[in-house]
């Protein structure tokens, strides 16, 4: 089953009346079934935030957009955690050859600072000799 079919299947389970839209009460029921709690007012606010055409209901496209943006947010969050492990100084905003060597050593990979400079240079877009988070993200994708 491909991703589109999976989305259609999930959408069909949530769209109880089969009208092609997820209403706030249907959203409320769905959240309840997965162990969450959502008042009708909260469901209405959530639907209004996710609704792309202003009718207060969620279309299939709205659902896909929400799920995929949540997945993207999770990926970025995971990348930020990994990036922090490699930073020279926590919160310093960059990976240096020295910090890369230190982390690789912790992972059982012995490299010289010069080897790490070469690795960084491959993805160092601005040529400053270190990797920013954006450069790290490009390297990982």
């Amino acid at each position: 089953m491909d991703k589109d079919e999976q989305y259609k299947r999930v959408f069909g389970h949530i769209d109880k009346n089969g009208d092609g839209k997820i209403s706030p009460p249907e959203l409320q029921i769905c959240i309840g079934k997965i162990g969450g709690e959502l008042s009708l007012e909260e469901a209405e606010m959530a639907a209004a935030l996710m609704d792309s055409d202003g009718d207060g209901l969620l279309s299939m496209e709205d659902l896909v957009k929400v799920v995929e943006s949540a997945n993207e947010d999770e990926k970025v969050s995971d990348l930020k955690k990994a990036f922090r492990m490699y930073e020279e100084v926590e919160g310093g905003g960059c990976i240096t050859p020295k910090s890369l060597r230190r982390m690789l050593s912790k992972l059982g990979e012995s490299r010289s600072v010069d080897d790490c400079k070469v690795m960084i240079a491959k993805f160092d877009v601005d040529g400053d000799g270190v990797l920013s988070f954006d450069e790290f993200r490009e390297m990982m994708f």
Side-chain angles (χ1 to χ4, degrees):
M1 184 181 313
D2 72 4
K3 196 184 323 185
D4 287 338
E5 289 173 14
Q6 290 175 351
Y7 284 133
K8 286 177 187 172
R9 189 170 175 195
V10 169
F11 189 86
H13 284 293
I14 300 170
D15 180 21
K16 292 293 182 194
N17 65 4
D19 66 354
K21 297 280 188 165
I22 298 173
S23 66
E26 289 169 328
L27 183 59
Q28 182 184 26
I29 292 166
C30 172
I31 297 299
K33 284 184 178 180
I34 60 172
E37 208 174 293
L38 199 64
S39 71
L40 183 55
E41 184 180 346
E42 290 168 329
E44 288 169 348
M45 288 190 303
L49 286 171
M50 296 183 281
D51 174 26
S52 61
D53 64 8
D55 65 358
L57 304 170
L58 302 178
S59 66
M60 173 75 168
E61 292 76 24
D62 294 333
L63 179 70
V64 170
K65 191 170 23 173
V66 167
V67 170
E68 293 194 352
S69 73
N71 288 340
E72 191 61 35
D73 290 345
E74 190 175 319
K75 287 177 193 173
V76 170
S77 175
D78 290 345
L79 270 179
K80 285 181 180 179
K81 289 176 189 170
F83 181 79
R84 284 193 292 271
M85 291 172 43
Y86 285 87
E87 281 181 305
E88 178 72 32
V89 176
E90 190 173 329
C94 66
I95 298 172
T96 66
K98 187 176 172 183
S99 67
L100 177 58
R101 185 181 74 74
R102 184 186 69 243
M103 190 61 194
L104 289 175
S105 177
K106 287 181 182 180
L107 296 171
E109 181 92 22
S110 180
R111 297 292 178 129
S112 70
V113 172
D114 287 337
D115 289 341
C116 293
K117 285 179 183 177
V118 170
M119 287 193 241
I120 286 175
K122 291 178 185 176
F123 299 97
D124 181 17
V125 175
D126 62 10
D128 63 357
V130 297
L131 289 181
S132 66
F133 177 73
D134 289 334
E135 292 166 332
F136 179 74
R137 182 175 56 206
E138 289 301 314
M139 176 183 78
M140 299 306 282
F141 289 121

